[in-house]
Amino acid sequence: QVQLVESGGGLVQAGGSLRLSCVVSGRTSSFYGMGWFRQAPGKEREFVARINWSDVNTYYSDSVKGRFTISGDNAKNTMYLQMNSLKPEDTAVYYCAATQKRNFVYDYWGQGTQVTVSS
């Protein structure tokens, strides 16, 4: 059974940085792609970034473009989200997800890690 486990969340001041990790129990290369989502209190879950392993193409939401970077290390079966210039509005539970489908309908989800940005 595939498991995704996020880590790296925490409390940081506005303007600071955090790096989230998502470790996959299987091989990251067995998936077509992976992504990060987030959910703030009282809000719906929203897309943050995604990566596909075939050509390492990445895609970001407008709200994080230029500040966040998604990457992966297939040798470590781990995906990362480097978050710079953090803002209070980035506060949310961050989830990683994996898909075997080209349409990026995700099959597997992690349990989430809390990111809190103070002003």
Side-chain angles (χ1 to χ4, degrees), residues 51-66:
I51 185 169
N52 76 51
W53 300 123
S54 60
D55 57 9
V56 203
N57 188 39
T58 58
Y59 184 75
Y60 298 90
S61 68
D62 287 343
S63 61
V64 307
K65 195 176 299 181

Side-chain angles (χ1 to χ4, degrees), residues 9 17-19 21 25 28 32 38 44 47 49-50 53 60 70 72-73 77 84 89 96 98-99 103 112 116-117 119:
S17 298
L18 282 174
R19 187 177 79 158
S21 299
S25 60
T28 51
Y32 177 74
R38 66 186 182 186
E44 293 186 354
F47 166 79
R50 75 183 191 206
W53 300 123
Y60 298 90
I70 188 171
D73 185 337
N77 296 318
N84 299 328
E89 52 263 44
C96 67
T99 180
N103 63 3
T116 303
V117 184
S119 57

Side-chain angles (χ1 to χ4, degrees), residues 21-102:
S21 299
C22 174
V23 178
V24 181
S25 60
R27 295 181 299 160
T28 51
S29 58
S30 68
F31 300 110
Y32 177 74
M34 295 182 68
W36 288 96
F37 290 77
R38 66 186 182 186
Q39 187 167 20
K43 295 187 177 181
E44 293 186 354
R45 185 171 59 194
E46 65 172 353
F47 166 79
V48 175
R50 75 183 191 206
I51 185 169
N52 76 51
W53 300 123
S54 60
D55 57 9
V56 203
N57 188 39
T58 58
Y59 184 75
Y60 298 90
S61 68
D62 287 343
S63 61
V64 307
K65 195 176 299 181
R67 300 188 297 122
F68 291 10
T69 303
I70 188 171
S71 64
D73 185 337
N74 286 337
K76 296 182 178 180
N77 296 318
T78 302
M79 177 180 65
Y80 304 100
L81 185 68
Q82 178 66 44
M83 305 186 296
N84 299 328
S85 302
L86 282 162
K87 305 175 181 180
E89 52 263 44
D90 294 319
T91 295
V93 177
Y94 283 71
Y95 299 90
C96 67
T99 180
Q100 295 172 325
K101 305 178 182 67
R102 290 178 175 268

